[in-house]
C-alpha cells in the first residue's frame, strides 16, 4: 500500500515501516559512531519501542553488545492498515540486532498486567538466566491495577488553580492562549497510579523474588523537571506528583536492591518530541523555542544523544557517577543551562503566530513529530508501494 501520514489532533494514525527502519538505523549509527562502552550485558527494557526506551535499547545493544528483551504495547499491522510506529521500530531494531549477532526478543502487551510480567519473567529464566539492567520507560495514559482491577487514568492538569499560558498547534503554527482548569478529586491519585513508581517497584519485586536480577544489577526510570514556565502544568501539576512518586521509589528500590549490591536511579531527561510529550499543552511551544536555541548553541540532542550520554558518561562511567542533591542523574543539564533558559524566557514573551516561525524551530518540531511515525525522511520513497505486514522476528508468542 501507499502509506501517507494521517493525523488526528496530536496523533498520527499511520506509520511507515521503511521510515521507522531509517529512524532506528540512524540511531544505531549514532551509537556506533561513539565507539563501545563497558556496560550491561543482559537488559530488560520496559517501554522499549519508542522514545527514550527504544533509544536505551539501541544504546545497550549497539554500545556494549547487550542481549535485550523489550516489552511494549503496540498495535500490530492488519492488511491495509499500518501498525503503530513502535511495532515497526521494534521489527527494524530486532532485524539489525540479529544481523549483528545479538539476542533480541520482544513481548507485546500490557506491562502493568500480571500476565505480561509472568511472560517476561519466564522468557528471562529460559533465555537469559538473569538481567543486569532494567530500564523502566513506560509512558501510558491509563493503567488497570493488577490487584484491584481499577482502571486509573492519568491527566495533565494543574493543581489548585487555573493555569493560563500560550501554546502552539504545531500542525498549523497558530499560537493561542489556553486556560487549563485545575484537576479534580482523584486526579492526583490516578495519575500517580499510572505514572508513579508503583509498577516499577512491582517489576523489581517480581524479578528479585524469582532471582532474575544479577549481582550488581541496576535499574533506571526517567523523569522530567523543566523550567518555571511549565511548572504549573508539569512539575507542580498532576504528572509532577507522579514523578515525585517515581523518584521516591528509586530510593526505596535502592534499599531493596542492596542485598544484591544493586542500584536504582532516576535519570532526569531533556524535553523531547515524543508521542507522550506532544499531548501536553504548552510543551510543544516550549520545545520549539528550546530546539532553536540549543541548535544555535550546538547542544541540541534527541533521544539517542541523551541515552548515549546517560549510559556512556553517567551510569557506566568508569570514573564514577555524578548525582544531584536529590540523588538523581541529570542529563537535562544542557536544557537547564542558565543561558538557555534566560533566552527562552525572553522569546516566550515574543512568541506569537506571526513570529514563531522565525524565533522558534516550529519546522524542526514538526519534522521530529512526523519522524516518530516514519515520515519526513529524505531517504524514503513515500510514493512506493510498501508492505505494511511487517513481523517482529523475535516476538514471544
Ligand atoms: P513514548 O510514548 O515514546 O514511549 C512509551 C513506551 O511505553 C512505548 O514503548 C509504549 O509501547 C510503552 N507502553 C505504553 N503503555 C504500555 C503498557 N501498558 N504496557 C507496555 N508498554 C507500554 O514515551 P517517552 O516520551 O519516551 O517517555 C518515557 C519516559 O520518559 C516517561 O516516564 C516520560 O515521562 C519520561 N520523560 C519524557 C520526556 C519527554 O520529553 N518526552 C522528558 C523526560 C522524561
Amino acid at each position: 500500500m501507499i502509506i501517507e501520514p494521517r493525523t488526528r489532533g496530536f496523533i498520527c494514525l499511520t506509520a511507515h515501516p521503511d521510515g521507522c527502519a531509517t529512524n532506528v538505523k540512524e540511531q544505531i549509527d549514532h551509537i556506533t559512531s561513539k565507539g563501545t562502552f563497558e556496560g550491561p550485558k543482559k537488559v530488560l527494557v520496559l517501554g522499549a519501542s519508542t522514545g527514550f526506551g527504544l533509544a536505551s535499547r539501541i544504546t545497550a545493544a549497539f554500545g556494549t553488545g547487550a542481549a535485550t528483551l523489550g516489552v511494549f504495547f503496540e498495535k500490530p499491522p492488519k492488511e491495509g492498515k499500518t501498525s503503530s510506529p513502535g511495532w515497526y521500530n521494534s521489527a527494524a531494531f530486532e532485524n539489525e540486532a540479529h544481523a549483528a549477532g545479538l539476542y533480541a526478543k520482544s513481548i507485546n502487551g500490557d506491562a502493568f498486567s500480571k500476565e505480561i510480567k509472568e511472560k517476561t519473567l519466564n522468557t528471562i529464566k529460559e533465555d537469559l538466566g538473569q538481567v543486569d539492567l532494567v530500564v523502566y520507560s513506560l509512558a501510558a495514559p491509563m493503567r488497570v491495577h493488577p490487584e484491584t482491577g481499577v482502571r486509573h487514568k492519568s491527566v495533565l492538569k494543574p493543581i489548585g488553580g487555573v493555569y493560563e499560558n500560550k501554546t502552539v498547534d504545531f500542525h498549523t503554527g497558530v499560537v493561542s492562549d489556553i486556560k487549563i482548569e485545575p484537576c479534580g478529586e482523584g486526579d492526583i491519585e490516578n495519575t500517580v497510579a499510572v505514572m508513579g513508581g508503583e509498577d516499577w517497584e512491582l517489576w523489581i519485586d517480581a524479578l528479585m523474588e524469582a532471582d532474575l536480577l544479577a549481582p550488581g544489577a541496576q535499574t533506571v526510570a526517567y523523569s522530567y523537571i523543566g523550567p518555571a514556565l511549565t511548572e504549573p502544568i508539569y512539575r507542580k501539576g498532576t504528572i509532577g506528583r507522579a514523578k515525585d512518586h517515581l523518584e521516591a521509589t528509586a530510593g526505596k528500590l535502592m534499599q531493596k536492591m542492596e542485598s544484591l549490591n544493586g542500584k536504582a536511579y532516576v535519570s532526569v531527561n531533556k524535553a523531547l518530541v515524543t508521542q507522550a510529550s506532544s499531548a501536553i499543552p504548552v510543551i510543544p511551544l516550549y520545545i520549539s523555542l528550546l530546539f532553536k536555541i540549543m541548535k544555535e548553541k550546538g547542544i541540541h540532542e534527541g533521544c539517542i544523544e541523551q541515552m548515549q550520554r546517560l549510559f556512556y558518561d553517567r551510569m557506566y562511567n568508569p570514573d564514577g557517577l555524578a548525582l544531584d542533591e536529590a540523588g538523581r542523574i541529570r542529563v537535562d543539564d544542557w536544557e537547564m543551562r542558565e543561558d538557555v533558559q534566560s533566552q527562552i524566557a525572553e522569546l516566550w514573551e515574543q512568541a506569537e503566530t506571526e513570529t514563531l516561525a522565525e524565533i522558534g524551530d516550529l519546522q524542526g518540531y514538526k519534522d521530529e513529530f512526523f519522524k516518530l511515525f516514519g515520515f519526513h525522511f529524505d531517504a524514503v520513497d513515500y510514493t512506493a508501494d510498501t508492505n505494511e505486514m511487517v513481523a517482529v522476528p523475535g516476538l514471544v508468542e
Side-chain angles (χ1 to χ4, degrees):
M1 66 188 276
I2 308 292
I3 304 171
E4 288 174 335
R6 265 203 301 130
T7 56
R8 193 196 298 141
F10 299 113
I11 52 166
C12 181
L13 302 169
T14 50
H16 202 288
D18 299 346
C20 289
T22 305
N23 182 4
V24 167
K25 185 72 179 62
E26 284 183 359
Q27 295 195 42
I28 293 172
D29 289 346
H30 178 75
I31 292 302
T32 50
S33 78
K34 297 289 178 185
T36 55
F37 72 106
E38 199 48 54
K41 291 297 167 231
K42 295 173 183 180
V43 182
L44 170 63
V45 183
L46 304 163
S49 53
T50 55
F52 285 117
L54 173 65
S56 305
R57 189 177 195 185
I58 290 171
T59 306
F62 289 90
T64 187
T68 59
L69 176 60
V71 180
F72 46 76
F73 206 6
E74 302 291 343
K75 269 201 199 90
K78 288 187 194 145
E79 295 284 347
K81 200 167 184 297
T82 68
S83 72
S84 50
W87 179 274
Y88 290 145
N89 289 341
S90 302
F93 168 81
E94 284 199 3
N95 284 326
E96 296 282 349
H98 296 163
L102 299 172
Y103 172 99
K105 280 192 184 177
S106 300
I107 292 174
N108 189 31
D110 181 6
F112 297 132
S113 70
K114 285 187 179 174
E115 179 206 344
I116 290 297
K117 285 191 176 68
E118 223 174 274
K119 200 176 198 178
T120 307
L121 265 49
N122 286 339
T123 307
I124 296 173
K125 238 177 255 169
E126 280 166 25
D127 293 2
L128 302 170
Q130 289 181 319
V131 291
D132 54 0
L133 174 66
V134 180
V135 174
Y136 190 84
S137 188
L138 298 182
M142 69 100 166
R143 170 177 173 227
V144 175
H145 197 283
E147 295 301 334
T148 63
V150 173
R151 193 172 182 272
H152 299 280
K153 277 184 76 179
S154 76
V155 299
L156 295 157
K157 288 193 177 165
I159 297 171
V162 173
Y163 174 55
E164 290 182 73
N165 213 323
K166 332 187 219 194
T167 193
V168 65
D169 176 334
F170 58 88
H171 292 301
T172 61
V174 173
V175 176
S176 61
D177 292 327
I178 48 149
K179 202 171 159 180
I180 309 171
E181 295 297 324
C183 66
E185 216 188 303
D187 282 344
I188 297 176
E189 292 76 8
N190 280 317
T191 307
V192 171
V194 181
M195 289 298 285
E198 187 188 21
D199 180 63
W200 184 22
E201 188 173 354
L202 288 175
W203 271 101
I204 296 300
D205 284 347
L207 287 160
M208 283 185 72
E209 260 164 45
D211 195 24
L212 298 178
L213 288 187
Q218 304 200 44
T219 184
V220 65
Y222 301 136
S223 188
Y224 182 67
I225 297 178
L229 191 66
T230 59
E231 249 178 16
I233 185 74
Y234 200 94
R235 195 63 207 209
K236 292 193 174 155
T238 48
I239 182 73
R241 290 293 179 88
K243 291 303 182 193
D244 290 344
H245 188 271
L246 186 79
E247 291 175 16
T249 304
K252 245 172 129 181
L253 296 181
M254 191 71 116
Q255 284 181 356
K256 285 192 178 183
M257 289 169 72
E258 245 171 32
S259 57
L260 47 97
N261 202 17
K263 301 261 186 256
Y265 296 110
V266 156
S267 170
V268 182
N269 300 345
K270 172 191 186 232
L272 279 175
V273 183
T274 64
Q275 292 186 70
S277 69
S278 306
I280 311 178
V282 187
I283 301 283
L285 179 57
Y286 169 71
I287 292 182
S288 63
L289 297 176
L290 181 73
F291 276 18
K292 176 86 168 191
I293 293 164
M294 292 186 82
K295 282 179 186 174
E296 276 172 7
K297 292 183 186 289
I299 52 171
H300 176 72
E301 294 178 298
C303 286
I304 196 68
E305 288 83 2
Q306 280 266 292
M307 294 301 97
Q308 189 270 329
R309 279 208 296 138
L310 172 64
F311 282 61
Y312 285 61
D313 299 347
R314 301 288 200 274
M315 289 181 72
Y316 297 96
N317 184 339
D319 298 329
L321 171 60
L323 300 173
D324 72 4
E325 70 294 341
R328 301 171 296 209
I329 302 172
R330 303 297 293 264
V331 285
D332 66 337
D333 46 348
W334 297 350
E335 168 181 358
M336 299 308 284
R337 255 169 48 175
E338 161 58 29
D339 59 326
V340 172
Q341 286 303 325
S342 60
Q343 247 177 295
I344 292 184
E346 229 171 82
L347 291 179
W348 192 265
E349 299 303 318
Q350 305 163 22
E352 301 298 342
T353 308
E354 297 71 31
T355 57
L356 188 60
E358 198 179 322
I359 65 168
D361 186 18
L362 194 60
Q363 192 54 46
Y365 191 102
K366 256 193 237 182
D367 280 339
E368 288 289 318
F369 176 81
F370 282 106
K371 282 182 172 177
L372 298 175
F373 302 89
F375 299 105
H376 286 210
F377 286 97
D378 292 339
V380 176
D381 177 4
Y382 292 103
T383 61
D385 191 16
T386 306
N387 178 17
E388 73 281 16
M389 296 303 290
V390 173
V392 176
L395 195 71
V396 181
E397 295 295 348

